């Protein structure tokens, strides 16, 4: 589904991604781990089409198609979803209104009419139940005054509403207490099926106990320096990243 | 009640007569320039009583000695007042003109705003077929108003039909000597609206639809007078959400509101005159004086959405004369390209326990300049006066400006005055966040701007709010590259 080939990206002339290769198939869950500042969020942004970063070499393919020329919104319409590490605030725009706009804009791009209000309401009801979100919460301004945990839960609520083909979750676990983590992970697992794929970016093994990855990759200094199965995550938890750094330095 | 075809036709004829200024001043355009003779001639042309003529002449004599103010934070070439014609017959529908002759860009805008074909024609001065529906609506409308004793008509007609009422109140809130533009307006106004709500009457409808259809005929120097007698209520909507590409360079309107004891007036405006092109050429100068007088326990709310004009100079104000009276000002001002707006309000607290609220939202894009200018004045005998002001600015891009000039003059120690101000910028991260959810940049900006303006949009009557939202979108189109 997702193929990344020798991807190089930079910002203000400074190279951040230095040759990433990654393949994610339908129905798979991949975890990307790595020390702070390795380029994990940058990779997620570049996949989503953030124009702050310049792709200097290599390419990203979605279902065999190079998405280089697609705008961020077109990528979204094609099923790419990013749960942000730091979701932004949009004052005065309610969660409901924001989601309504997002869904209808995607439908418009596909040549569909707006979703009927009745269906929209049902969808909101179902998905807010899935993530155990109080309906009152949905009338609040998007991310304004939300706690760290509320922001993350709201990101996954949006994922549930939009049902993406490829979801990238950037440090969704940070800020969540253990109960919320369980609810959010449970929500993600329910959304998982054989046709979609999930990329989980995290520091900790903790989340991976709930969302079990098929593959684990270690990103360090703009490159994937090691790949393995879920055991690799345990090993990292135990030993830290120093040995990886040493290996990479050789 | 059903109307026969015949009755409808008749009604329509009388309607033309009723809304007089379409028909009664057919002919010519006056020579350019302004003098006492011209002022007298305007009055004569309109068949006005002597007191009205004298009033105009007095205003003219005052104006002659005044200088155009230049304290506002706007820069423009001062109009040459001797190069304007102060009286011209309103444009008549051109029987040979069709919508095909109209600028397609403008028609595109109408479509976006959901303006009906008939209204489009009206706005573009294209002859309109009789629409049975709108005629009967207007008729029932007039009937309901008449039953309640509500007077609502062009001010020129009111001068003929209700001279005592007009004479009693005209110029009592905005005297002819008030300022340069108000004096000019007093001397040369050709029309506008007059509205009187009798004691204890709640006007059962927003005075709007009617006005919108008639908007196309209003002139350069509009005069509006609204009088709400004791314990009455009226919601008045001024303006037209359709962009009208008025060729008039200068608009100097005066609006006077009088809310007597326990009365309430809600006055909402949407202004979107031609703002000039992307290079800052052309566009309307909009210099408006709007003021309300509040007697005991009275309440006046000004709500405005200002998106048009090249230069806007406008400060809808409240004189809180009566004890316990309330003044409110809710404003959204959008500037784009080379537009300049200097707008705000004046709340003058004279009575005891008077309260005022000011919520101002300025949105600047392009190379525009957007200023809020407000004065909260508390007189020495205004015990326990309270004011809350909030001025928020939203900037798009790096080339525009937002300025806030809040003035406070409190002469009574019991006054409680609060002022809050914020300035924010639409961030690339906000736009990307929306993009990532499938919302394109244009739509994202509209969403963010609407969120920013929500507190004020919520104050508009429902159907107006929807159109105002669309208008904000259109005004900011192409403002972020
Ligand atoms: N917009 C940006 N401008 C400048 N430097 C950036 C920007 N985004 C990321 N970087 C830099 O790129 C590197 C990788 O950052 P990031 O992708 O956020 O790492 P991670 O998510 O793995 O912690 C860091 O050194 C960071 O400072
Ligand atoms: Mg990160």
């Amino acid at each position: 589904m997702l193929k990344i080939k020798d991807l190089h990206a930079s910002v203000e002339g400074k190279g951040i991604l230095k040759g990433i290769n990654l393949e994610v198939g339908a129905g798979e869950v991949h975890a990307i781990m790595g020390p702070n500042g390795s380029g994990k969020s940058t990779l997620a942004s570049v996949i989503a089409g953030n124009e702050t970063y310049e792709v200097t070499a290599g390419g990203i393919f979605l279902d065999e198609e190079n998405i280089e020329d697609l705008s961020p919104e077109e990528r979204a319409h094609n099923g790419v979803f990013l749960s942000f590490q730091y979701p932004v605030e949009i004052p005065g725009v309610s969660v409901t209104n924001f989601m309504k706009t997002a869904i209808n804009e995607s439908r418009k791009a596909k040549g569909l009419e707006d979703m009927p209000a009745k269906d929209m309401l049902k969808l909101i009801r179902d998905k807010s139940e899935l993530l155990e979100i109080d309906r009152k919460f949905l009338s609040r301004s998007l991310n304004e005054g939300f706690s760290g945990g509320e922001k993350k839960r709201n990101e996954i609520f949006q994922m549930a509403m939009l049902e993406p083909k490829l979801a990238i979750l950037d440090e969704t676990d940070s800020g969540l207490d253990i109960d919320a983590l369980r609810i959010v992970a449970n929500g993600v697992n329910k959304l998982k099926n054989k046709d979609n794929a999930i990329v989980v970016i995290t520091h900790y093994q903790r989340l991976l106990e709930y969302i079990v990855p098929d593959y684990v990759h270690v990103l360090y200094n703009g490159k994937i320096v090691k790949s393995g199965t879920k055991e690799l995550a345990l090993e990292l938890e135990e030993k830290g990243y120093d040995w990886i750094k040493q290996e990479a330095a050789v | 009640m059903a109307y026969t075809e015949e009755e409808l036709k008749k009604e329509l004829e009388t309607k033309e007569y009723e809304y007089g200024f379409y028909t009664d001043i057919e002919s010519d355009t006056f020579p350019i320039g302004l003098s006492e003779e011209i002022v007298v001639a305007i009055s004569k042309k309109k068949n006005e009583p002597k007191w009205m003529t004298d009033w105009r002449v007095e205003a003219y004599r005052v104006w002659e000695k005044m200088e155009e103010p230049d304290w506002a934070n706007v820069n423009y070439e001062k109009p040459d007042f001797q190069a304007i014609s102060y009286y011209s017959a309103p444009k008549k529908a051109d029987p040979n003109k069709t919508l095909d002759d109209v600028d397609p860009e403008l028609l595109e805008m109408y479509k976006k705003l959901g303006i009906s074909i008939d209204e489009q024609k009206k706005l573009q001065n294209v002859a309109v077929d009789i629409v049975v529906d709108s005629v009967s609506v207007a008729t029932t409308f007039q009937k309901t108003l008449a039953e309640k004793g509500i007077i609502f008509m062009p001010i020129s007609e009111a001068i003929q039909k209700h001279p005592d009422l007009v004479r009693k109140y005209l110029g009592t809130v905005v005297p002819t000597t008030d300022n340069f533009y108000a004096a000019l307006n007093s001397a040369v106004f050709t029309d506008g609206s007059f509205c009187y709500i009798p004691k204890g009457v709640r006007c059962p409808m927003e005075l709007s639809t009617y006005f919108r259809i008639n908007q196309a005929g209003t002139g350069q120097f509009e005069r509006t007078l609204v009088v709400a007698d004791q314990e009455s209520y009226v919601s008045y909507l001024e303006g037209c959400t359709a962009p009208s590409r008025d060729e008039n360079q200068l608009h100097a309107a005066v609006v006077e509101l009088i809310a007597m004891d326990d009365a309430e007036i809600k006055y909402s405006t949407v202004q979107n005159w031609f703002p000039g092109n992307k290079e800052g050429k052309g566009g309307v100068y909009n210099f408006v004086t709007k003021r309300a007088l509040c007697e005991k326990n009275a309440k006046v709310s000004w709500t405005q959405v200002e998106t048009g004009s090249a230069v806007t100079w406008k400060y809808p104000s409240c004189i809180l004369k009566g004890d316990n009276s309330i003044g409110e000002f809710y404003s959204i001002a959008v500037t784009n390209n080379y537009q300049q707006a200097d707008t705000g309000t004046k709340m003058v607290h004279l009575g005891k326990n008077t309260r005022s609220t000011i919520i101002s939202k300025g949105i600047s894009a392009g190379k525009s300049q957007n200023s809020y200018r407000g004065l909260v004045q508390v007189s020495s005998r205004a015990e326990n006066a309270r004011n809350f002001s909030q001025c928020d600015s939203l900037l798009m891009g790096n080339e525009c400006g937002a300025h806030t000039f809040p003035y406070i003059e409190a002469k009574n120690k019991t006054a409680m005055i609060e002022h809050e101000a914020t300035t924010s910028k639409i961030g690339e991260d906000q736009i990307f966040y929306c993009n990532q959810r499938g919302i394109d940049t244009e739509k994202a900006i509209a969403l963010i701007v609407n969120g920013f303006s929500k507190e004020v949009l919520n104050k508009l009557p429902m159907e107006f709010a929807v159109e105002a939202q669309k208008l904000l979108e259109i005004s900011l189109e192409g403002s972020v590259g």
Side-chain angles (χ1 to χ4, degrees), chain A residues 11-12 14-17 34-43 52-53 85-86 170-171 201 203 219:
Chain A
V11 64
E12 290 154 8
K14 177 181 142 203
I16 298 173
L17 302 182
N36 269 330
S38 314
K40 302 184 296 294
S41 294
T42 302
L43 176 61
T52 309
Y53 303 95
Q85 182 176 4
Y86 304 109
D170 192 357
E171 308 223 3
I201 296 171
H203 270 305
L219 185 60

Short mmCIF file of all heavy atoms in Angstrom, two decimals, chain A residues 11-12 14-17 34-43 52-53 85-86 170-171 201 203 219, ligand 1:
data_model
loop_
_atom_site.label_atom_id
_atom_site.label_comp_id
_atom_site.label_asym_id
_atom_site.label_seq_id
_atom_site.Cartn_x
_atom_site.Cartn_y
_atom_site.Cartn_z
N VAL A 11 14.87 20.75 5.38
CA VAL A 11 14.20 22.00 5.68
C VAL A 11 15.26 23.07 5.77
O VAL A 11 16.31 22.87 6.39
CB VAL A 11 13.34 21.88 6.97
CG1 VAL A 11 14.19 21.62 8.19
CG2 VAL A 11 12.49 23.13 7.16
N GLU A 12 15.00 24.18 5.12
CA GLU A 12 15.96 25.29 5.07
C GLU A 12 17.37 24.79 4.75
O GLU A 12 18.35 25.19 5.38
CB GLU A 12 15.96 26.04 6.41
CG GLU A 12 14.67 26.82 6.63
CD GLU A 12 14.36 27.04 8.10
OE1 GLU A 12 15.21 26.73 8.95
OE2 GLU A 12 13.25 27.54 8.37
N LYS A 14 18.74 22.08 5.34
CA LYS A 14 19.34 21.12 6.26
C LYS A 14 18.68 19.75 6.06
O LYS A 14 17.46 19.62 6.16
CB LYS A 14 19.11 21.63 7.69
CG LYS A 14 19.61 20.71 8.79
CD LYS A 14 19.29 21.32 10.17
CE LYS A 14 18.89 20.23 11.14
NZ LYS A 14 18.08 20.71 12.25
N GLY A 15 19.47 18.76 5.76
CA GLY A 15 18.93 17.42 5.51
C GLY A 15 18.41 16.80 6.79
O GLY A 15 19.09 16.81 7.81
N ILE A 16 17.20 16.26 6.76
CA ILE A 16 16.65 15.61 7.95
C ILE A 16 16.41 14.12 7.69
O ILE A 16 16.81 13.27 8.46
CB ILE A 16 15.37 16.29 8.41
CG1 ILE A 16 15.69 17.75 8.79
CG2 ILE A 16 14.78 15.58 9.63
CD1 ILE A 16 14.51 18.60 9.12
N LEU A 17 15.76 13.84 6.56
CA LEU A 17 15.60 12.43 6.18
C LEU A 17 16.67 12.10 5.14
O LEU A 17 16.84 12.81 4.16
CB LEU A 17 14.19 12.20 5.60
CG LEU A 17 13.02 12.56 6.53
CD1 LEU A 17 11.70 12.23 5.86
CD2 LEU A 17 13.14 11.86 7.88
N GLY A 34 12.56 5.40 17.94
CA GLY A 34 13.84 6.09 17.75
C GLY A 34 13.96 7.27 18.67
O GLY A 34 12.95 7.81 19.13
N PRO A 35 15.20 7.66 18.95
CA PRO A 35 15.42 8.76 19.88
C PRO A 35 14.82 10.07 19.37
O PRO A 35 14.52 10.20 18.17
CB PRO A 35 16.93 8.88 19.98
CG PRO A 35 17.51 7.90 19.03
CD PRO A 35 16.44 7.10 18.41
N ASN A 36 14.67 11.02 20.27
CA ASN A 36 14.17 12.35 19.90
C ASN A 36 15.02 12.98 18.82
O ASN A 36 16.24 12.85 18.84
CB ASN A 36 14.23 13.26 21.12
CG ASN A 36 12.93 13.20 21.89
OD1 ASN A 36 11.87 12.96 21.30
ND2 ASN A 36 13.01 13.38 23.20
N GLY A 37 14.39 13.66 17.93
CA GLY A 37 15.13 14.38 16.91
C GLY A 37 15.63 13.51 15.77
O GLY A 37 16.40 13.97 14.93
N SER A 38 15.18 12.25 15.69
CA SER A 38 15.65 11.36 14.63
C SER A 38 15.02 11.68 13.28
O SER A 38 15.55 11.33 12.24
CB SER A 38 15.29 9.91 14.92
OG SER A 38 15.60 9.57 16.22
N GLY A 39 13.83 12.27 13.31
CA GLY A 39 13.14 12.57 12.06
C GLY A 39 11.81 11.84 11.92
O GLY A 39 11.23 11.81 10.83
N LYS A 40 11.28 11.29 13.01
CA LYS A 40 10.03 10.53 12.94
C LYS A 40 8.86 11.42 12.53
O LYS A 40 8.10 11.10 11.61
CB LYS A 40 9.73 9.87 14.30
CG LYS A 40 10.83 8.94 14.79
CD LYS A 40 10.48 8.23 16.08
CE LYS A 40 10.28 9.14 17.29
NZ LYS A 40 11.52 9.84 17.72
N SER A 41 8.71 12.56 13.23
CA SER A 41 7.61 13.47 12.89
C SER A 41 7.79 14.05 11.49
O SER A 41 6.82 14.27 10.77
CB SER A 41 7.51 14.60 13.91
OG SER A 41 7.15 14.08 15.16
N THR A 42 9.03 14.31 11.14
CA THR A 42 9.30 14.83 9.80
C THR A 42 8.83 13.82 8.75
O THR A 42 8.17 14.20 7.77
CB THR A 42 10.80 15.13 9.64
OG1 THR A 42 11.19 16.07 10.65
CG2 THR A 42 11.10 15.71 8.27
N LEU A 43 9.15 12.56 8.96
CA LEU A 43 8.70 11.53 8.02
C LEU A 43 7.18 11.54 7.88
O LEU A 43 6.64 11.52 6.77
CB LEU A 43 9.19 10.15 8.49
CG LEU A 43 8.72 8.95 7.65
CD1 LEU A 43 9.23 9.05 6.21
CD2 LEU A 43 9.19 7.63 8.28
N THR A 52 6.46 22.49 4.10
CA THR A 52 7.60 23.06 4.81
C THR A 52 8.88 22.28 4.47
O THR A 52 9.97 22.83 4.47
CB THR A 52 7.37 22.96 6.34
OG1 THR A 52 6.09 23.50 6.62
CG2 THR A 52 8.41 23.71 7.12
N TYR A 53 8.69 21.00 4.19
CA TYR A 53 9.85 20.14 3.92
C TYR A 53 10.00 19.92 2.42
O TYR A 53 9.02 19.72 1.71
CB TYR A 53 9.68 18.80 4.62
CG TYR A 53 9.49 18.95 6.11
CD1 TYR A 53 8.21 18.99 6.66
CD2 TYR A 53 10.58 19.12 6.95
CE1 TYR A 53 8.02 19.18 8.01
CE2 TYR A 53 10.41 19.30 8.31
CZ TYR A 53 9.12 19.33 8.84
OH TYR A 53 8.95 19.53 10.18
N GLN A 85 1.40 14.86 16.49
CA GLN A 85 2.05 14.84 17.80
C GLN A 85 1.59 16.07 18.60
O GLN A 85 1.32 15.97 19.79
CB GLN A 85 3.58 14.86 17.63
CG GLN A 85 4.32 14.79 18.94
CD GLN A 85 5.84 14.70 18.76
OE1 GLN A 85 6.35 14.76 17.63
NE2 GLN A 85 6.56 14.56 19.85
N TYR A 86 1.50 17.20 17.91
CA TYR A 86 1.03 18.43 18.55
C TYR A 86 -0.16 19.00 17.78
O TYR A 86 0.02 19.86 16.91
CB TYR A 86 2.15 19.48 18.61
CG TYR A 86 3.40 18.98 19.29
CD1 TYR A 86 4.56 18.73 18.56
CD2 TYR A 86 3.42 18.75 20.67
CE1 TYR A 86 5.72 18.26 19.18
CE2 TYR A 86 4.56 18.29 21.30
CZ TYR A 86 5.71 18.04 20.56
OH TYR A 86 6.84 17.58 21.17
N ASP A 170 1.30 9.75 15.39
CA ASP A 170 2.57 10.29 15.88
C ASP A 170 2.50 10.55 17.38
O ASP A 170 1.87 11.51 17.81
CB ASP A 170 2.91 11.58 15.11
CG ASP A 170 4.35 12.03 15.35
OD1 ASP A 170 5.06 11.39 16.15
OD2 ASP A 170 4.75 13.04 14.72
N GLU A 171 3.15 9.67 18.14
CA GLU A 171 3.19 9.79 19.61
C GLU A 171 1.81 10.01 20.21
O GLU A 171 1.62 10.88 21.06
CB GLU A 171 4.14 10.90 20.04
CG GLU A 171 5.49 10.72 19.37
CD GLU A 171 6.68 10.96 20.28
OE1 GLU A 171 6.48 11.21 21.48
OE2 GLU A 171 7.80 10.85 19.78
N ILE A 201 4.01 5.77 15.56
CA ILE A 201 5.29 6.33 15.99
C ILE A 201 5.25 6.46 17.51
O ILE A 201 4.30 7.05 18.05
CB ILE A 201 5.50 7.72 15.35
CG1 ILE A 201 5.61 7.59 13.83
CG2 ILE A 201 6.75 8.39 15.93
CD1 ILE A 201 5.60 8.92 13.09
N HIS A 203 7.73 6.25 21.44
CA HIS A 203 8.96 6.10 22.19
C HIS A 203 8.93 4.84 23.03
O HIS A 203 9.94 4.34 23.45
CB HIS A 203 9.07 7.26 23.20
CG HIS A 203 9.77 8.44 22.67
ND1 HIS A 203 11.03 8.36 22.14
CD2 HIS A 203 9.40 9.73 22.59
CE1 HIS A 203 11.39 9.57 21.77
NE2 HIS A 203 10.42 10.41 22.01
N LEU A 219 14.29 4.39 13.70
CA LEU A 219 14.74 5.53 12.90
C LEU A 219 15.78 6.28 13.70
O LEU A 219 15.54 6.64 14.86
CB LEU A 219 13.54 6.42 12.58
CG LEU A 219 13.76 7.61 11.65
CD1 LEU A 219 14.24 7.16 10.28
CD2 LEU A 219 12.46 8.40 11.48
N1 LIG C 1 10.24 22.96 10.55
C1 LIG C 1 11.50 22.69 10.95
N2 LIG C 1 12.43 23.63 10.88
C2 LIG C 1 13.70 23.37 11.31
N3 LIG C 1 14.09 22.20 11.79
C3 LIG C 1 13.21 21.21 11.88
C4 LIG C 1 11.84 21.41 11.47
N4 LIG C 1 11.18 20.26 11.68
C5 LIG C 1 12.07 19.39 12.19
N5 LIG C 1 13.28 19.95 12.31
C6 LIG C 1 14.49 19.28 12.83
O1 LIG C 1 14.58 18.00 12.26
C7 LIG C 1 15.01 17.06 13.22
C8 LIG C 1 14.01 15.93 13.35
O2 LIG C 1 12.83 16.40 14.00
P1 LIG C 1 11.55 15.49 14.22
O3 LIG C 1 11.15 14.93 12.92
O4 LIG C 1 10.55 16.30 14.93
O5 LIG C 1 12.10 14.36 15.17
P2 LIG C 1 11.34 13.30 16.07
O6 LIG C 1 9.90 13.35 15.73
O7 LIG C 1 11.96 12.00 15.69
O8 LIG C 1 11.62 13.65 17.47
C9 LIG C 1 15.26 17.81 14.49
O9 LIG C 1 16.64 18.16 14.57
C10 LIG C 1 14.41 19.06 14.32
O10 LIG C 1 14.94 20.15 15.03
#
